[in-house]
Amino acid sequence: MQLQIAPSILSADFGNLARDIRMLNASADLVHLDVMDGSFVPNISFGFPVIEAVAAVATIPMDAHLMVVNPGKWVERCASLGVAMMSFHLEAARDEAEGILADIRSHGMKAGLVINPNIPVEDLYPFIGKADYFLIMSVFAGFGGQKFIPESLGRIEKLKAELDKAGNDAPIEVDGGVGPANAGLLARAGASIFVAGSSVFKAENPAEAIDLLRNPR
Ligand code: DX5
Ligand code: ZN
């Protein structure tokens, strides 16, 4: 499967956001937007005004990762800002997950379901066919710059095998501590959308770092 690189602007320079987005337009596949509410995760990042500013400059699709309680509340708003892919955590909406996925789809966006590293990967299986992609967190959601959790590889392999068994080609996105050292392993495990914050934006040459992720060893 073709790899897609989704740099997370959590690690961008917010004083030069338009410049950083233009760099992504020329080198990345998606812009990853980490929305944190300080309740679902112990950190606050940014919200709709920033997404609006990104939308004004981005020519590549926006991939919004909602780390918030009550994610279903924001489907309409994301759609109206031009978000192409919207994901939320299963832990944040156990009982409503199926309905929210359907609502995201009905708003013309791709619907993604996310789990933190402490949630069994099997919990995603009932949603195969109901989500357009799955996001496996390889760190606990909340902060950029954390260390990749190696057990994530086996979780991705398991989910990939389950998707294959179902004849479902929903991509697996991976988020947290992704960089040149694990990109090859992740691709072989079955991930095809790589979120990367610090390994892209803290690199001396971010565009080159994106290329490195796209062609992993
Ligand atoms: C963590 C976010 C990630 C994060 C990735 O809660 O979902 O997208 O920004 O950052 P790095 O690549 O630095 O781990
Ligand atoms: Zn994210």
Side-chain angles (χ1 to χ4, degrees):
M1 199 181 277
Q2 180 72 39
L3 293 183
Q4 290 197 297
I5 312 303
S8 164
I9 62 157
L10 196 57
S11 303
D13 175 358
F14 283 87
N16 290 288
L17 191 54
R19 181 204 65 193
D20 281 2
I21 300 297
R22 280 191 290 270
M23 180 276 293
L24 297 186
N25 285 342
S27 49
D29 301 284
L30 306 165
V31 188
H32 187 80
L33 304 167
D34 285 307
V35 178
M36 305 180 188
D37 68 351
S39 289
F40 178 69
V41 286
N43 191 18
I44 295 178
S45 56
F46 55 79
F48 298 115
V50 171
I51 298 182
E52 204 173 338
V54 173
V57 182
T59 55
I60 54 177
M62 294 190 291
D63 163 32
H65 171 196
L66 273 72
M67 287 161 272
V68 304
V69 297
N70 267 324
K73 210 169 153 184
W74 309 111
V75 174
E76 175 88 52
R77 195 75 180 274
C78 282
S80 73
L81 289 174
V83 165
M85 300 165 64
M86 174 177 171
S87 65
F88 63 95
H89 281 253
L90 179 59
E91 313 91 280
R94 283 270 175 197
D95 299 333
E96 308 92 61
E98 193 172 333
I100 299 172
L101 290 168
D103 195 29
I104 294 173
R105 283 178 160 178
S106 77
H107 280 79
M109 299 181 285
K110 290 235 179 342
L113 196 58
V114 192
I115 52 170
N116 261 314
N118 61 335
I119 305 298
V121 72
E122 290 81 3
D123 286 13
L124 292 176
Y125 297 175
F127 299 95
I128 292 176
K130 295 173 180 152
D132 298 300
Y133 62 104
F134 293 96
L135 201 180
I136 300 287
M137 290 305 300
S138 40
V139 301
F140 279 89
F143 300 91
Q146 303 181 74
K147 210 172 143 291
F148 178 79
I149 299 173
E151 286 75 22
S152 312
L153 286 165
R155 289 158 61 76
I156 291 166
E157 273 170 10
K158 271 173 98 170
L159 176 58
K160 178 67 178 149
E162 194 69 18
L163 286 164
D164 286 350
K165 207 169 83 188
N168 188 292
D169 62 0
I172 300 175
E173 182 169 26
V174 59
D175 185 355
V178 176
N182 51 29
L185 293 168
L186 286 164
R188 284 189 287 277
S192 61
I193 307 176
F194 292 174
V195 177
S198 33
S199 74
V200 166
F201 286 103
K202 307 292 180 224
E204 209 164 298
N205 184 337
E208 208 174 86
I210 291 169
D211 264 357
L212 218 59
L213 289 173
R214 205 193 298 287
N215 301 296
R217 270 175 297 155

Short mmCIF file of all heavy atoms in Angstrom, two decimals, residues 9-57:
data_model
loop_
_atom_site.label_atom_id
_atom_site.label_comp_id
_atom_site.label_asym_id
_atom_site.label_seq_id
_atom_site.Cartn_x
_atom_site.Cartn_y
_atom_site.Cartn_z
N ILE A 9 1.15 19.23 13.02
CA ILE A 9 1.57 20.62 13.23
C ILE A 9 1.71 20.98 14.71
O ILE A 9 2.10 22.10 15.03
CB ILE A 9 0.64 21.64 12.53
CG1 ILE A 9 -0.79 21.55 13.09
CG2 ILE A 9 0.67 21.45 11.03
CD1 ILE A 9 -1.58 22.83 12.87
N LEU A 10 1.42 20.00 15.59
CA LEU A 10 1.67 20.23 17.01
C LEU A 10 3.12 20.67 17.24
O LEU A 10 3.40 21.43 18.16
CB LEU A 10 1.39 18.93 17.77
CG LEU A 10 1.21 18.98 19.27
CD1 LEU A 10 0.09 19.93 19.65
CD2 LEU A 10 0.91 17.58 19.83
N SER A 11 4.02 20.18 16.41
CA SER A 11 5.43 20.52 16.56
C SER A 11 5.87 21.63 15.59
O SER A 11 7.06 21.92 15.49
CB SER A 11 6.31 19.29 16.32
OG SER A 11 5.95 18.26 17.20
N ALA A 12 4.91 22.24 14.88
CA ALA A 12 5.27 23.32 13.94
C ALA A 12 5.59 24.60 14.71
O ALA A 12 5.41 24.67 15.92
CB ALA A 12 4.12 23.55 12.97
N ASP A 13 6.03 25.59 13.99
CA ASP A 13 6.30 26.90 14.57
C ASP A 13 5.04 27.75 14.37
O ASP A 13 4.77 28.23 13.28
CB ASP A 13 7.51 27.52 13.84
CG ASP A 13 7.78 28.94 14.29
OD1 ASP A 13 7.02 29.47 15.13
OD2 ASP A 13 8.76 29.53 13.79
N PHE A 14 4.26 27.91 15.46
CA PHE A 14 2.96 28.58 15.32
C PHE A 14 3.09 30.06 14.97
O PHE A 14 2.14 30.67 14.49
CB PHE A 14 2.10 28.35 16.56
CG PHE A 14 1.49 26.97 16.60
CD1 PHE A 14 2.20 25.91 17.13
CD2 PHE A 14 0.25 26.73 16.04
CE1 PHE A 14 1.67 24.62 17.14
CE2 PHE A 14 -0.30 25.46 16.03
CZ PHE A 14 0.42 24.39 16.58
N GLY A 15 4.27 30.61 15.18
CA GLY A 15 4.50 31.98 14.74
C GLY A 15 4.75 32.08 13.24
O GLY A 15 4.71 33.17 12.66
N ASN A 16 5.00 30.94 12.64
CA ASN A 16 5.24 30.89 11.18
C ASN A 16 4.42 29.75 10.58
O ASN A 16 4.93 29.01 9.73
CB ASN A 16 6.73 30.65 10.90
CG ASN A 16 7.57 31.86 11.24
OD1 ASN A 16 7.52 32.88 10.55
ND2 ASN A 16 8.31 31.77 12.33
N LEU A 17 3.18 29.67 11.02
CA LEU A 17 2.37 28.50 10.64
C LEU A 17 2.15 28.43 9.14
O LEU A 17 2.26 27.35 8.54
CB LEU A 17 1.04 28.54 11.40
CG LEU A 17 0.19 27.28 11.32
CD1 LEU A 17 0.97 26.04 11.76
CD2 LEU A 17 -1.07 27.42 12.19
N ALA A 18 1.85 29.56 8.51
CA ALA A 18 1.59 29.55 7.07
C ALA A 18 2.82 29.04 6.31
O ALA A 18 2.70 28.24 5.38
CB ALA A 18 1.18 30.94 6.59
N ARG A 19 3.99 29.48 6.75
CA ARG A 19 5.23 29.02 6.10
C ARG A 19 5.37 27.50 6.24
O ARG A 19 5.67 26.79 5.27
CB ARG A 19 6.43 29.72 6.77
CG ARG A 19 7.79 29.33 6.18
CD ARG A 19 8.93 29.55 7.17
NE ARG A 19 8.81 28.65 8.34
CZ ARG A 19 9.49 28.79 9.47
NH1 ARG A 19 10.34 29.80 9.61
NH2 ARG A 19 9.33 27.94 10.47
N ASP A 20 5.10 27.00 7.44
CA ASP A 20 5.23 25.55 7.67
C ASP A 20 4.20 24.77 6.85
O ASP A 20 4.49 23.69 6.34
CB ASP A 20 5.11 25.23 9.17
CG ASP A 20 6.40 25.52 9.93
OD1 ASP A 20 7.37 26.01 9.29
OD2 ASP A 20 6.45 25.28 11.16
N ILE A 21 3.00 25.29 6.73
CA ILE A 21 1.96 24.60 5.94
C ILE A 21 2.36 24.58 4.47
O ILE A 21 2.17 23.57 3.77
CB ILE A 21 0.58 25.28 6.10
CG1 ILE A 21 0.12 25.26 7.57
CG2 ILE A 21 -0.47 24.60 5.22
CD1 ILE A 21 -0.09 23.91 8.17
N ARG A 22 2.93 25.68 3.98
CA ARG A 22 3.36 25.69 2.57
C ARG A 22 4.45 24.65 2.33
O ARG A 22 4.48 24.01 1.28
CB ARG A 22 3.83 27.10 2.17
CG ARG A 22 2.66 28.03 1.85
CD ARG A 22 3.11 29.33 1.19
NE ARG A 22 3.82 30.18 2.12
CZ ARG A 22 3.24 31.11 2.90
NH1 ARG A 22 1.94 31.31 2.82
NH2 ARG A 22 3.96 31.83 3.73
N MET A 23 5.31 24.48 3.30
CA MET A 23 6.34 23.43 3.19
C MET A 23 5.67 22.06 3.08
O MET A 23 6.04 21.22 2.26
CB MET A 23 7.27 23.52 4.41
CG MET A 23 8.41 22.50 4.46
SD MET A 23 7.95 20.90 5.15
CE MET A 23 7.61 21.34 6.86
N LEU A 24 4.62 21.85 3.91
CA LEU A 24 3.91 20.56 3.85
C LEU A 24 3.19 20.39 2.52
O LEU A 24 3.16 19.29 1.97
CB LEU A 24 2.91 20.44 5.01
CG LEU A 24 3.48 20.46 6.42
CD1 LEU A 24 2.38 20.19 7.44
CD2 LEU A 24 4.59 19.42 6.58
N ASN A 25 2.60 21.46 2.01
CA ASN A 25 1.91 21.38 0.72
C ASN A 25 2.82 20.78 -0.34
O ASN A 25 2.39 20.01 -1.20
CB ASN A 25 1.48 22.77 0.24
CG ASN A 25 0.27 23.31 1.00
OD1 ASN A 25 -0.45 22.54 1.65
ND2 ASN A 25 0.06 24.61 0.93
N ALA A 26 4.09 21.15 -0.27
CA ALA A 26 5.05 20.74 -1.30
C ALA A 26 5.64 19.36 -1.03
O ALA A 26 6.24 18.77 -1.93
CB ALA A 26 6.16 21.78 -1.40
N SER A 27 5.49 18.83 0.19
CA SER A 27 6.24 17.60 0.47
C SER A 27 5.44 16.50 1.17
O SER A 27 5.84 15.34 1.11
CB SER A 27 7.49 17.94 1.30
OG SER A 27 7.15 18.75 2.39
N ALA A 28 4.33 16.82 1.81
CA ALA A 28 3.60 15.80 2.58
C ALA A 28 2.31 15.42 1.87
O ALA A 28 1.93 16.02 0.85
CB ALA A 28 3.29 16.34 3.98
N ASP A 29 1.63 14.41 2.42
CA ASP A 29 0.36 13.96 1.83
C ASP A 29 -0.84 14.53 2.55
O ASP A 29 -1.89 14.75 1.94
CB ASP A 29 0.30 12.43 1.88
CG ASP A 29 1.46 11.81 1.13
OD1 ASP A 29 1.40 11.81 -0.11
OD2 ASP A 29 2.44 11.39 1.77
N LEU A 30 -0.71 14.70 3.87
CA LEU A 30 -1.82 15.16 4.71
C LEU A 30 -1.26 16.11 5.76
O LEU A 30 -0.08 16.02 6.11
CB LEU A 30 -2.46 13.96 5.43
CG LEU A 30 -2.93 12.77 4.58
CD1 LEU A 30 -3.17 11.55 5.48
CD2 LEU A 30 -4.20 13.12 3.83
N VAL A 31 -2.12 16.98 6.29
CA VAL A 31 -1.74 17.79 7.46
C VAL A 31 -2.48 17.20 8.65
O VAL A 31 -3.72 17.16 8.67
CB VAL A 31 -2.21 19.26 7.33
CG1 VAL A 31 -1.63 20.09 8.47
CG2 VAL A 31 -1.86 19.84 6.00
N HIS A 32 -1.73 16.75 9.65
CA HIS A 32 -2.35 16.13 10.83
C HIS A 32 -2.59 17.20 11.90
O HIS A 32 -1.68 17.92 12.30
CB HIS A 32 -1.42 15.03 11.36
CG HIS A 32 -2.01 14.21 12.47
ND1 HIS A 32 -2.90 13.19 12.25
CD2 HIS A 32 -1.81 14.26 13.81
CE1 HIS A 32 -3.22 12.63 13.41
NE2 HIS A 32 -2.58 13.26 14.38
N LEU A 33 -3.85 17.27 12.37
CA LEU A 33 -4.26 18.30 13.33
C LEU A 33 -4.61 17.64 14.65
O LEU A 33 -5.60 16.90 14.73
CB LEU A 33 -5.48 19.05 12.79
CG LEU A 33 -5.33 19.69 11.40
CD1 LEU A 33 -6.69 20.11 10.86
CD2 LEU A 33 -4.37 20.87 11.45
N ASP A 34 -3.83 17.88 15.68
CA ASP A 34 -4.05 17.28 16.99
C ASP A 34 -4.85 18.22 17.88
O ASP A 34 -4.30 19.16 18.44
CB ASP A 34 -2.70 16.96 17.65
CG ASP A 34 -2.04 15.75 17.03
OD1 ASP A 34 -2.72 14.69 16.96
OD2 ASP A 34 -0.88 15.85 16.60
N VAL A 35 -6.13 17.92 18.02
CA VAL A 35 -7.00 18.78 18.82
C VAL A 35 -7.15 18.16 20.22
O VAL A 35 -7.63 17.03 20.35
CB VAL A 35 -8.38 18.92 18.14
CG1 VAL A 35 -9.31 19.78 19.00
CG2 VAL A 35 -8.23 19.50 16.74
N MET A 36 -6.71 18.88 21.24
CA MET A 36 -6.74 18.37 22.63
C MET A 36 -7.52 19.34 23.50
O MET A 36 -7.32 20.55 23.39
CB MET A 36 -5.32 18.25 23.18
CG MET A 36 -4.40 17.41 22.34
SD MET A 36 -2.76 17.36 23.10
CE MET A 36 -1.82 16.54 21.80
N ASP A 37 -8.33 18.76 24.40
CA ASP A 37 -9.26 19.61 25.15
C ASP A 37 -8.92 19.78 26.63
O ASP A 37 -9.65 20.42 27.37
CB ASP A 37 -10.69 19.05 25.02
CG ASP A 37 -10.85 17.69 25.73
OD1 ASP A 37 -9.83 17.11 26.17
OD2 ASP A 37 -11.99 17.22 25.82
N GLY A 38 -7.83 19.17 27.08
CA GLY A 38 -7.48 19.30 28.50
C GLY A 38 -8.35 18.46 29.41
O GLY A 38 -8.19 18.51 30.63
N SER A 39 -9.29 17.67 28.85
CA SER A 39 -10.13 16.79 29.66
C SER A 39 -9.90 15.33 29.27
O SER A 39 -9.59 14.50 30.11
CB SER A 39 -11.61 17.12 29.47
OG SER A 39 -11.91 18.33 30.09
N PHE A 40 -10.06 15.04 28.01
CA PHE A 40 -9.77 13.68 27.55
C PHE A 40 -8.28 13.39 27.67
O PHE A 40 -7.88 12.26 27.96
CB PHE A 40 -10.24 13.47 26.11
CG PHE A 40 -9.92 12.10 25.59
CD1 PHE A 40 -10.59 10.99 26.10
CD2 PHE A 40 -8.93 11.89 24.64
CE1 PHE A 40 -10.27 9.70 25.66
CE2 PHE A 40 -8.61 10.62 24.21
CZ PHE A 40 -9.29 9.52 24.72
N VAL A 41 -7.47 14.39 27.43
CA VAL A 41 -6.01 14.28 27.61
C VAL A 41 -5.54 15.41 28.51
O VAL A 41 -6.19 16.47 28.56
CB VAL A 41 -5.26 14.35 26.25
CG1 VAL A 41 -5.41 13.07 25.47
CG2 VAL A 41 -5.70 15.55 25.43
N PRO A 42 -4.42 15.20 29.21
CA PRO A 42 -3.96 16.23 30.16
C PRO A 42 -3.18 17.36 29.49
O PRO A 42 -2.12 17.76 29.94
CB PRO A 42 -3.07 15.44 31.12
CG PRO A 42 -2.57 14.29 30.30
CD PRO A 42 -3.60 13.99 29.27
N ASN A 43 -3.70 17.87 28.38
CA ASN A 43 -3.01 18.94 27.67
C ASN A 43 -4.02 19.63 26.75
O ASN A 43 -5.01 19.01 26.34
CB ASN A 43 -1.86 18.35 26.83
CG ASN A 43 -0.93 19.41 26.27
OD1 ASN A 43 -0.92 20.55 26.74
ND2 ASN A 43 -0.16 19.04 25.27
N ILE A 44 -3.78 20.89 26.47
CA ILE A 44 -4.62 21.63 25.53
C ILE A 44 -3.75 22.05 24.36
O ILE A 44 -2.62 22.52 24.57
CB ILE A 44 -5.23 22.88 26.21
CG1 ILE A 44 -6.19 22.44 27.34
CG2 ILE A 44 -5.97 23.74 25.20
CD1 ILE A 44 -6.80 23.61 28.11
N SER A 45 -4.21 21.83 23.13
CA SER A 45 -3.39 22.22 21.98
C SER A 45 -4.01 23.41 21.28
O SER A 45 -3.72 24.56 21.60
CB SER A 45 -3.20 21.04 21.03
OG SER A 45 -4.44 20.52 20.61
N PHE A 46 -4.89 23.15 20.35
CA PHE A 46 -5.52 24.24 19.59
C PHE A 46 -6.88 23.77 19.10
O PHE A 46 -7.18 22.58 19.15
CB PHE A 46 -4.64 24.68 18.41
CG PHE A 46 -4.26 23.54 17.49
CD1 PHE A 46 -5.16 23.05 16.54
CD2 PHE A 46 -3.01 22.94 17.57
CE1 PHE A 46 -4.83 21.99 15.70
CE2 PHE A 46 -2.67 21.87 16.74
CZ PHE A 46 -3.58 21.41 15.81
N GLY A 47 -7.65 24.71 18.63
CA GLY A 47 -8.99 24.37 18.18
C GLY A 47 -9.34 24.98 16.84
O GLY A 47 -8.46 25.18 15.99
N PHE A 48 -10.59 25.31 16.66
CA PHE A 48 -11.10 25.66 15.33
C PHE A 48 -10.48 26.90 14.68
O PHE A 48 -10.26 26.89 13.47
CB PHE A 48 -12.62 25.74 15.38
CG PHE A 48 -13.24 24.42 15.74
CD1 PHE A 48 -13.95 24.25 16.91
CD2 PHE A 48 -13.05 23.31 14.92
CE1 PHE A 48 -14.49 23.01 17.25
CE2 PHE A 48 -13.57 22.07 15.24
CZ PHE A 48 -14.30 21.93 16.41
N PRO A 49 -10.18 27.95 15.44
CA PRO A 49 -9.57 29.11 14.75
C PRO A 49 -8.24 28.74 14.08
O PRO A 49 -7.93 29.25 12.99
CB PRO A 49 -9.34 30.12 15.89
CG PRO A 49 -10.35 29.74 16.92
CD PRO A 49 -10.46 28.24 16.85
N VAL A 50 -7.48 27.87 14.72
CA VAL A 50 -6.20 27.45 14.12
C VAL A 50 -6.47 26.56 12.89
O VAL A 50 -5.81 26.71 11.86
CB VAL A 50 -5.31 26.73 15.16
CG1 VAL A 50 -4.09 26.09 14.52
CG2 VAL A 50 -4.88 27.72 16.25
N ILE A 51 -7.45 25.68 13.02
CA ILE A 51 -7.78 24.82 11.86
C ILE A 51 -8.22 25.69 10.68
O ILE A 51 -7.85 25.44 9.53
CB ILE A 51 -8.88 23.79 12.23
CG1 ILE A 51 -8.36 22.85 13.34
CG2 ILE A 51 -9.30 23.00 11.01
CD1 ILE A 51 -9.32 21.77 13.77
N GLU A 52 -8.94 26.74 10.98
CA GLU A 52 -9.39 27.65 9.93
C GLU A 52 -8.19 28.32 9.24
O GLU A 52 -8.15 28.47 8.02
CB GLU A 52 -10.31 28.72 10.54
CG GLU A 52 -11.24 29.32 9.55
CD GLU A 52 -12.26 30.24 10.22
OE1 GLU A 52 -12.52 30.08 11.44
OE2 GLU A 52 -12.79 31.10 9.51
N ALA A 53 -7.20 28.69 10.05
CA ALA A 53 -6.00 29.31 9.50
C ALA A 53 -5.21 28.31 8.65
O ALA A 53 -4.67 28.67 7.59
CB ALA A 53 -5.12 29.84 10.63
N VAL A 54 -5.18 27.06 9.09
CA VAL A 54 -4.50 26.03 8.30
C VAL A 54 -5.24 25.82 6.99
O VAL A 54 -4.63 25.75 5.91
CB VAL A 54 -4.42 24.69 9.09
CG1 VAL A 54 -3.88 23.57 8.21
CG2 VAL A 54 -3.56 24.84 10.35
N ALA A 55 -6.57 25.75 7.08
CA ALA A 55 -7.39 25.49 5.89
C ALA A 55 -7.16 26.55 4.81
O ALA A 55 -7.20 26.25 3.62
CB ALA A 55 -8.87 25.44 6.27
N ALA A 56 -6.89 27.77 5.26
CA ALA A 56 -6.71 28.86 4.29
C ALA A 56 -5.44 28.69 3.47
O ALA A 56 -5.32 29.23 2.38
CB ALA A 56 -6.68 30.20 5.03
N VAL A 57 -4.49 27.93 3.97
CA VAL A 57 -3.20 27.78 3.29
C VAL A 57 -2.99 26.38 2.73
O VAL A 57 -2.34 26.19 1.69
CB VAL A 57 -2.03 28.13 4.26
CG1 VAL A 57 -0.69 28.04 3.56
CG2 VAL A 57 -2.22 29.52 4.86
#
